[in-house]
Amino acid sequence: MTTLTKAEEKIMKILWDIEKGFIKDILEQYPNPKPPYNSVSTIVRVLVQKEIVGYNAYGKTYQYYPMVSKEEYSKGQLSRLVSDYYNNSLKQVVNFFSESKNLDEEELNEVMKMLKELKSKKDE
């Protein structure tokens, strides 16, 4: 899975939210100050080239839509992160979060439950 730039991710987050839209629809979702129309258009064309965004042509106007779901992209990025920074070790990831984030008891219990369920599936 291709890693997107911050600008590309911003556009993808908008497209995931609106599901499909023209450049003007994407721009409407940006907070002020909005980027120039041509900048957004250029980034969307790059996303089309990367085959992450598709489009329907209506004459000279194009309506864009995501070809990759937010979940699929997130999963790929998380897998890359775990692989690149934590040696594919769930133990290292859990250790990082347990040391760097103040998890409350409810979150810890949920994580423990999830890990027990994962273990049960592996044991089957």
Side-chain angles (χ1 to χ4, degrees):
M1 171 76 49
T2 301
T3 299
L4 303 176
T5 66
K6 288 184 186 242
E8 291 168 342
E9 276 191 8
K10 177 71 175 168
I11 288 173
M12 286 307 299
K13 287 177 182 177
I14 291 170
L15 280 173
W16 286 320
D17 286 344
I18 66 174
E19 297 180 8
K20 59 183 175 181
F22 300 94
I23 299 297
K24 69 176 184 61
D25 299 322
I26 295 168
L27 269 170
E28 285 175 5
Q29 300 300 313
Y30 266 90
N32 288 325
K34 296 182 185 301
Y37 181 98
N38 288 342
S39 297
V40 173
S41 180
T42 299
I43 295 167
V44 169
R45 283 194 306 262
V46 169
L47 290 168
V48 168
Q49 289 175 344
K50 290 182 176 183
E51 298 181 351
I52 293 174
V53 169
Y55 64 90
N56 294 314
Y58 300 99
K60 293 183 179 183
T61 307
Y62 299 94
Q63 184 180 45
Y64 299 97
Y65 58 88
M67 293 176 60
V68 174
S69 72
K70 186 176 185 178
E71 293 75 22
E72 184 180 351
Y73 180 74
S74 298
K75 187 176 183 180
Q77 292 308 300
L78 186 57
S79 293
R80 183 190 60 77
L81 182 73
V82 170
S83 171
D84 291 354
Y85 295 97
Y86 298 100
N87 300 318
N88 278 329
S89 170
L90 179 60
K91 179 181 173 184
Q92 287 183 21
V93 173
V94 170
N95 186 52
F96 169 79
F97 280 107
S98 66
E99 289 181 356
S100 67
K101 184 179 178 198
N102 291 331
L103 299 175
D104 63 28
E105 190 172 338
E106 185 177 331
E107 282 181 308
L108 284 172
N109 288 335
E110 288 177 28
V111 169
M112 292 299 293
K113 181 181 175 187
M114 290 170 59
L115 291 172
K116 286 177 185 176
E117 289 173 3
L118 181 63
K119 185 178 182 329
S120 294
K121 289 179 184 175
K122 293 280 185 183
D123 289 344
E124 291 177 356

